[in-house]
Amino acid sequence: NAGVTQTPKFQVLKTGQSMTLQCAQDMNHEYMSWYRQDPGMGLRLIHYSVGAGITDQGEVPNGYNVSRSTTEDFPLRLLSAAPSQTSVYFCASSYKSGANVLTFGAGSRLTVL
Amino acid sequence: GQQLNQSPQSMFIQEGEDVSMNCTSSSIFNTWLWYKQDPGEGPVLLIALYKAGELTSNGRLTAQFGITRKDSFLNISASIPSDVGIYFCAGPNYNAGGTSYGKLTFGQGTILTVHP
């Protein structure tokens, strides 16, 4: 049972480049979400999904897109990377019945030059 | 929006010492959660609290849900080197219909360093 798998673990981009952070879970969780972690600011919600085909914005959605075509996968897309998007990104998932008990992936560290 | 303030921001302690940290909110929460993040990993849930005044233990960890519902406390007894990490408090972020959908508001974190 792998839990929540994120790829890549590290990525360096130049300003203006695009990329996709991948997230997959094998626990059949209904809810999935993306957070970013910046020093001294805790984790902030970017986007979340309550099921396949349903996504919504979190606290800091600008510059990011998401989609959820299957229960298992929830990729995060950066359309035109900016230095302000340098951060550590975490994907998380949870059951509908225990929505607040999140299982997190190991994180993806992104640097935008 | 909701904000959670954790203190202290960092702690440097000797192995064997007890640790106390707290989290305060400007608004009421009906659930408090404490997560721990090991270096290079994602956060893992330590303790969940669901009732004002509740005191819950998980091994050497004890957490309390403040009676005002605007604060929570986490204590670690007899610290060991593997307690090193960042400790986050968190609360659900409910929509108008009263469902959180797994959306959490996190505090800034308390960084714990334990010297052997």
Side-chain angles (χ1 to χ4, degrees):
Chain A
N1 209 357
V4 178
T5 303
Q6 290 184 233
T7 56
K9 197 159 180 65
F10 301 96
Q11 182 72 49
V12 179
L13 290 178
K14 294 181 180 178
T15 297
Q17 287 185 318
S18 63
M19 77 156 300
T20 299
L21 299 178
Q22 301 291 344
C23 175
Q25 55 95 4
D26 61 359
M27 298 170 285
N28 209 28
H29 284 174
E30 292 91 346
Y31 301 156
M32 296 187 74
S33 50
W34 277 100
Y35 291 82
R36 60 176 288 173
Q37 181 180 19
D38 301 293
M41 300 186 73
L43 288 87
R44 292 180 292 167
L45 181 65
I46 305 171
H47 285 285
Y48 67 101
S49 169
V50 301
I54 307 171
T55 66
D56 204 348
Q57 296 181 350
E59 180 186 356
V60 287
N62 292 342
Y64 308 95
N65 274 1
V66 292
S67 60
R68 192 164 177 205
S69 56
T70 66
T71 300
E72 295 78 19
D73 299 300
F74 190 44
L76 178 72
R77 298 181 184 86
L78 283 72
L79 304 178
S80 179
S84 61
Q85 293 178 305
T86 293
S87 187
V88 181
Y89 292 85
F90 288 97
C91 180
S93 68
S94 63
Y95 286 114
K96 181 178 180 181
S97 59
N100 302 318
V101 181
L102 302 185
T103 299
F104 283 88
S108 297
R109 181 175 293 274
L110 175 66
T111 301
V112 183
L113 303 175
Chain B
Q2 298 170 318
Q3 284 190 332
L4 296 180
N5 294 307
Q6 284 187 248
S7 64
Q9 291 187 349
S10 61
M11 304 180 74
F12 298 84
I13 63 170
Q14 292 293 129
E15 183 177 358
E17 290 183 357
D18 296 343
V19 173
S20 292
M21 60 189 78
N22 67 63
C23 186
T24 60
S25 169
S26 57
S27 54
I28 288 173
F29 281 90
N30 60 18
T31 298
W32 282 92
L33 306 148
W34 285 92
Y35 282 82
K36 182 197 177 192
Q37 182 181 25
D38 287 331
E41 300 293 329
V44 173
L45 181 68
L46 295 174
I47 293 178
L49 302 160
Y50 299 104
K51 187 177 178 181
E54 179 182 355
L55 191 70
T56 298
S57 294
N58 178 5
R60 293 178 296 106
L61 277 62
T62 302
Q64 184 163 20
F65 191 142
I67 58 174
T68 66
R69 295 198 286 159
K70 290 187 175 183
D71 55 10
S72 180
F73 307 88
L74 177 70
N75 296 315
I76 306 172
S77 62
S79 59
I80 59 178
S82 62
D83 290 333
V84 164
I86 306 177
Y87 291 79
F88 292 102
C89 62
N93 191 349
Y94 292 102
N95 65 3
T99 305
S100 73
Y101 297 120
K103 298 180 295 174
L104 300 183
T105 296
F106 284 84
Q108 311 97 309
T110 293
I111 302 171
L112 179 64
T113 303
V114 180
H115 296 287

